[in-house]
Amino acid sequence: MTNSEKNRLKDKAFQVFGVFCTFIGLIVLAVFLFDIAIEGFSRIDWDFLTSLPSRRASRAGILTAWVGTLWILVLTAIIAFPLGVSAGIYLEEYSKKNRWTNFLEINISNLAGVPSIIYGLLGLEIFVRQMRLGGSLLAGALTLSLLILPIIIVTTREAIKAVPRSIRDGSFALGASKWQTVWNQVLPASFGGILTGIILSLSRAVGEAAPLIVIGALAYVPFTPDSPLDEFTVLPIQIFNWTSRPQAEFLTNAAGAIIVLLAITFLLNGIAVYLRNRQQRKVKW
Amino acid sequence: MLNLRLNYSKINAALLLGGTLLFSACGGSTNEGANSDLSGNIQIDGSSTVYPITEAVAEEFRAEAPDVRVTVGVSGTGGGMKKFSRGEIDIVDASRTMNESEKQLAAENNITFVELPVAYDGLTVVVHPENDWVNDITVAELKKIWEPAAQGTITRWNQIRPEWPDQEIHLYGAGVESGTYDYFTEAIVGESHASRGDYTASEDDNVLVQGVSTDPYALGFFGYAYYDENQDKLKAVPVNDENDSNGQGAIMPSLETVKDGSYAPLSRPLYIYVNSKAASRPEVVEFVNFYLDNAPELSEEVGYIPMPAEVYQEQKQKFEQFSSGASATAQQQ
């Protein structure tokens, strides 16, 4: 076997290995989706989406849970978006490279690795007790905002970094101030990447149950919230509650609720992909 | 609590069962629709074990008083007690009684309360259905298996009874954070929160069902409802407390044996605690009375075991005294 034949074989082997690795993840996902779909798809109908929780599995619905999840989603986005993006812009465009900035950066990366239940405990003390928000939607959204802030900051910085130096130089050459450059050139050019980061981090927040249980989100709420100060429940808590019940019919309900939660997550990811593609078509360097 | 339970003989229970039916029939007709003018919020939190009963009661109460907003959380008995002792919630669901430090915290915050048992749960000892050697077990044997000293030393079935096989024993039980664990250790080991640590622990009883039903050398314990729903996959073991005054020999957990107290010591009461400030509000009084009236039927529907009717009567009286006292103090202030 010649050297080049050997190399071609290695090349082929790595390709097969790569395909195998890619499919492991996909197969696990497919098995999971298939299993859940078989179990829960028949359970999803209009009544399931519009009914209140009940002790009878067949009458129980997820109205308050999915409405609560949407509320949390929107509030978290409103709170986390300006904070995370501003912090990202500051760190990337304004801050000087010194020990203080280094210290900030390391800590933001560390925050991204803190278990979510710790954020719950923090939220309980600060938002629920000190700020007296109680187990409200606002307290929940603030807690989840803390949870996803590190991810938003990191992705914002990456997106801003990807904007070529020449764009900034061109803007400065025309006499634009730093702020004008950031606002008119850098942000529009990196917006697709920033948005993707925010939406992906929101998808993570949507699936959280632990920190919300800690801050006092409920399991049985017979009304949909009218304001950010109302009490609430979310889909992951409802799912968690149903999977721990002894009656098998509740497991079917849980599967149905999981499908709805997955649909919300896929929808979010879809929006992220769409926005990124649209943005990429607009930006021409 | 145990002493109180043992007073009821089977005959007594049977007589009173008739009474319950009569009573709940009356209760239903007099209360219906009469309280639709009540309003307000009732905040409940606590044990996930008690949650299904409270959820069922809250669901039915909506028909009774549609304008009262009842919410129920599941932050666990410990988490719920903490909130209750700070006065953050009106009622706490508990799968054990309030402990000393929680009582102290409540006293510091000037919280007075009443404790009301609402149903029983029979902790069931289970093995794999193919296990043909265990047909009964004594409390002393369970203690030998589960006490802290057993860790690493009691590892084979024949160490418990010589005629049992020389095979490893695999243990499954409630996680240490749960009220179930506290009750089991108290009843079996004699000291709350003390047991060996080398067993498969889970807060989710379905995980334990899964474990025991797939492991021929398993022994586990969990709530009766989880055994009841999975009878085809599990074998329950009758428990002998070696005290013949409450039923002779080894007793199988069932609706009857838990209710009449012969399934001892593993039938445990489940509670709600009501804050006195809350008990001065008419909607809370109505809710708690509704709870005690409907607990027999609803607790059985969600998989628990109702107490004898007389106990519910006593609890209603106890609560009436408590709430009238509570509203008197509320008016003075």
Side-chain angles (χ1 to χ4, degrees), chain B residues 116-144:
Chain B
L116 305 166
V118 292
Y120 291 131
D121 184 16
L123 291 184
T124 306
V125 178
V126 292
V127 293
H128 192 268
E130 279 166 28
N131 177 325
D132 55 3
W133 59 90
V134 181
N135 293 312
D136 64 287
I137 199 159
T138 66
V139 171
E141 284 165 339
L142 282 172
K143 179 175 179 184
K144 195 174 170 191

Side-chain angles (χ1 to χ4, degrees), chain B residues 208-273:
Chain B
L208 301 175
V209 169
Q210 190 74 19
V212 176
S213 64
T214 53
D215 181 346
Y217 298 108
L219 181 130
F221 68 88
F222 40 72
Y224 179 74
Y226 292 84
Y227 162 69
D228 197 37
E229 291 286 329
N230 297 287
Q231 290 199 21
D232 49 331
K233 292 188 258 175
L234 300 165
K235 175 178 161 186
V237 182
V239 177
N240 186 353
D241 64 353
E242 290 168 288
N243 172 2
D244 285 347
S245 65
N246 58 351
Q248 279 192 348
I251 306 240
M252 191 75 164
S254 72
L255 228 67
E256 292 73 35
T257 57
V258 172
K259 192 169 181 173
D260 66 24
S262 57
Y263 184 68
L266 287 179
S267 39
R268 61 161 171 175
L270 304 173
Y271 304 90
I272 58 173
Y273 286 73

